[in-house]
Amino acid sequence: MDSEISSDASVGSSVANLDRSRRRRPQQPGTKVVLIALWIIALLTTVVLIHQRYRGAVSGSIGADFLIYLHAAHLVAAGHSPYQSNGLFLYPPILPLVLAPFVHASPIHVFRAWTVLELAALLVGIGAFVAMQASKLRSWMQPVLFIFCTITVFHFWPLTVGLFLGQADAFVFAALMLSAWAANRGWPATRGGLIGVSGLLKTWPAAVVVAVFQKGTERRIRAVTAFVVTILIAPLLAVAFGGGSGLVEFVKSVISARSQHLVSDSAWGAPSLLFSNSGLAHPVFVSAPLHVLSTAALLTWVFGLLIVALRTSGDKIMCTWNVTFCIVLLLPISHLAYTLYCLPVLWLWTSRILERRHLTWQQFLVPGVLIVWWLVQTKAWPDSGSSSSISAAKYCVVFGANLVACSASVIGARISDQLGRYVSDRSLAPQTTSA
């Protein structure tokens, strides 16, 4: 038995050495030229798209959500609680604290700087993602993946909406991507801390911490401990700004954020738009039983997807973003801009295609669904502020596309994991020969 193990170990070592030798093999001059050309194209594409998104965001008035942050920052700079803003500020105190030193500058200049930082945060997210996938890809595929990620994120209507409003989603996106990078590196404390940072920027992303309970994940206690230590900064800051009443106002703001009279692209919001007099859209028809039954069915389906995602072992990055996708669909108020958090699922499945040297048509099914999903999301669908006379069916296209894409990714990841285990078991099974 020991000799068999030794033999297997030597074979594995030989394979690893062969892979390393292939990677160390010097590139041909022509290959280097192609690689440099691809990275130049990636750079130019990024510059053009970032310029377009920046001009689109700052060409009009200052973002409405950013003005709420700025008003809260004025309160903090004056020594008051950020929640003394007539119930408009519904976030943890960290954002107004960061903006407080700049309240005496021109608001438009601060907003422009904010937009630049948002675009930079998205680039950090793209860079972290490509870095995570680099070891699985040939050198020329890395700039190709970078270009794909850049195009799909900067030519994306939910991002355009978020930048126009001056939301903080780009910063949360970067924090969650870096947390996935930490998970990939086997750094649980860093992973938990970064998820906590995302929850300090906007409350609901803290729920992504459930991803650390993925089947087979080790050292969960470290991740959870780092998360708790980080997320506790929010209530401590609330107490520092407003004492006991500041903490109460913080908790109230978190709770009230779930009951805003806004369009919600979630398992709660779609049935309300379709089957009740929400005042936000023209319902298909009003039916209380259908409203209740469809909500229950959708919640059951999405919670089921969440459980499947957590029960799928292996790829921590895929699990992180599938879980995030499910959470976006489960939020009581899920804004159109939150679809940005679903985009890495498309990147992951595209990267899987690039990894494989031999492809079958089945392996294009999930990426194909996700490409169609992205195309649907690039269109300007009605959202909060649009006419209430528009049919609720049009409002629900975003949620319907998200539900299909999330289902395809979660189920596809599960099937892929099971097939991988089946092939592995077959390859390890003892071979019998007939005499």
Side-chain angles (χ1 to χ4, degrees):
M1 181 66 179
D2 291 340
S3 62
E4 292 178 1
I5 294 175
S6 176
S7 176
D8 290 342
S10 63
V11 170
S13 177
S14 300
V15 172
N17 290 333
L18 179 60
D19 289 340
R20 282 193 291 268
S21 65
R22 286 175 176 173
R23 292 176 185 174
R24 292 171 183 167
R25 185 179 298 168
Q27 295 179 340
Q28 298 297 324
T31 304
K32 289 184 178 181
V33 171
V34 171
L35 186 61
I36 293 172
L38 286 172
W39 277 115
I40 291 174
I41 293 171
L43 176 62
L44 293 176
T45 303
T46 302
V47 169
V48 170
L49 290 173
I50 284 181
H51 181 262
Q52 289 178 349
R53 290 286 72 78
Y54 174 79
R55 296 297 301 172
V58 303
S59 60
S61 58
I62 300 175
D65 288 338
F66 179 77
L67 286 175
I68 294 174
Y69 302 153
L70 201 57
H71 178 60
H74 277 277
L75 292 172
V76 169
H80 303 300
S81 169
Y83 301 104
Q84 297 177 5
S85 54
N86 300 321
L88 292 176
F89 185 72
L90 303 173
Y91 309 91
I94 195 72
L95 287 176
L97 179 64
V98 171
L99 288 171
F102 309 102
V103 295
H104 300 296
S106 169
I108 186 62
H109 290 158
V110 179
F111 179 59
R112 287 173 179 171
W114 175 271
T115 304
V116 169
L117 290 175
E118 284 190 285
L119 295 169
L122 291 169
L123 281 179
V124 169
I126 294 171
F129 177 80
V130 174
M132 283 187 282
Q133 306 301 311
S135 63
K136 307 173 187 177
L137 302 174
R138 283 166 282 179
S139 58
W140 67 268
M141 290 182 176
Q142 296 170 26
V144 170
L145 181 61
F146 189 94
I147 293 169
F148 179 80
C149 294
T150 302
I151 292 174
T152 51
V153 73
F154 289 116
H155 187 69
F156 197 50
W157 178 245
L159 173 67
T160 302
V161 171
L163 292 175
F164 177 77
L165 293 173
Q167 265 289 353
D169 294 306
F171 304 120
V172 179
F173 179 88
L176 290 177
M177 186 63 77
L178 290 174
S179 77
W181 174 75
N184 187 56
R185 300 283 293 180
W187 298 340
T190 305
R191 180 188 190 186
L194 286 167
I195 295 174
V197 169
S198 71
L200 292 177
L201 298 171
K202 303 188 78 163
T203 309
W204 71 263
V208 178
V209 74
V210 302
V212 306
F213 295 97
Q214 178 189 12
K215 181 181 177 181
T217 300
E218 299 176 349
R219 296 181 293 175
R220 294 170 180 162
I221 294 178
R222 289 189 184 183
V224 174
T225 301
F227 165 79
V228 171
V229 170
T230 305
I231 204 68
L232 282 177
I233 294 174
L236 290 175
L237 285 175
V239 171
F241 290 136
S245 61
L247 180 61
V248 172
E249 290 168 348
F250 168 66
V251 174
K252 285 183 178 179
S253 73
V254 173
I255 296 173
S256 62
R258 302 180 303 171
S259 57
Q260 302 172 73
H261 188 62
L262 297 170
V263 172
S264 179
D265 301 313
S266 71
W268 302 90
S272 176
L273 291 171
L274 291 169
F275 304 120
S276 72
N277 288 312
S278 64
L280 297 168
H282 183 69
V284 175
F285 52 88
V286 177
S287 172
L290 270 178
H291 182 191
V292 173
L293 289 173
S294 58
T295 302
L298 288 172
L299 288 174
T300 301
W301 178 253
V302 180
F303 269 114
L305 291 176
L306 179 60
I307 292 171
V308 171
L310 293 173
R311 294 293 298 168
T312 302
S313 59
D315 194 336
K316 292 183 176 65
I317 307 172
M318 181 69 77
C319 179
T320 297
W321 290 109
N322 278 339
V323 165
T324 304
F325 210 150
C326 291
I327 291 171
V328 167
L329 295 176
L330 289 171
L331 293 173
I333 298 295
S334 183
H335 302 296
L336 172 65
Y338 293 174
T339 305
L340 172 67
Y341 300 103
C342 312
L343 198 53
V345 169
L346 170 62
W347 297 355
L348 282 164
W349 284 100
T350 302
S351 179
R352 286 191 173 189
I353 288 179
L354 293 175
E355 291 171 24
R356 296 183 173 95
R357 296 181 181 248
H358 303 287
L359 293 166
T360 62
W361 67 268
Q362 294 94 334
Q363 291 166 337
F364 283 96
L365 287 178
V366 176
V369 170
L370 292 169
I371 286 291
V372 172
W373 164 79
W374 178 78
L375 291 171
V376 170
Q377 300 292 4
T378 57
K379 179 177 171 57
W381 298 100
D383 190 33
S384 297
S386 301
S387 173
S388 60
S389 64
I390 299 175
S391 171
K394 289 187 177 180
Y395 279 88
C396 293
V397 169
V398 170
F399 168 74
N402 284 346
L403 182 62
V404 171
C406 183
S407 301
S409 181
V410 172
I411 295 172
R414 180 66 174 179
I415 293 174
S416 178
D417 178 66
Q418 290 180 332
L419 286 175
R421 289 177 176 275
Y422 174 75
V423 171
S424 177
D425 291 343
R426 286 290 300 272
S427 63
L428 293 175
Q431 301 295 322
T432 60
T433 58
S434 58

